[in-house]
Amino acid sequence: IAAQVKLYAAQFMFQAGQLSAGAACEFASVDRYAFIEACKRYRIPVIAYDEDELERDFDELKRGFEHADDCR
């Protein structure tokens, strides 16, 4: 039970932004894969990627493809 409570606490602190994923893994004494799986069970996002970042990355990727077409 103690291990499960530590994992729940690590997930809560991770979700609240108080711990990084790596620190949460250390706190809960689990590897990254086990932590990600546990987060998945409770629908806790592990990757923080907001809409602006996604759009910026998409634009950069699009420009890269356009540049590759120009090089042919």
Side-chain angles (χ1 to χ4, degrees):
I1 291 177
Q4 192 63 43
V5 170
K6 283 179 72 174
L7 180 57
Y8 290 148
Q11 288 173 301
F12 178 79
M13 290 187 288
F14 170 73
Q15 190 173 27
Q18 297 173 335
L19 289 178
S20 67
C25 292
E26 285 183 37
F27 180 85
S29 301
V30 297
D31 64 29
R32 187 170 294 269
Y33 301 107
F35 184 72
I36 290 170
E37 183 62 35
C39 287
K40 182 180 171 183
R41 268 186 260 134
Y42 294 102
R43 296 187 176 158
I44 298 171
V46 180
I47 299 172
Y49 207 66
D50 68 23
E51 190 175 329
D52 292 334
E53 288 176 306
L54 180 61
E55 191 166 324
R56 194 170 37 254
D57 286 351
F58 180 73
D59 288 342
E60 287 179 27
L61 183 62
K62 186 175 163 184
R63 280 193 299 275
F65 280 120
E66 289 169 354
H67 178 71
D69 287 340
D70 292 342
C71 292
R72 290 183 186 170

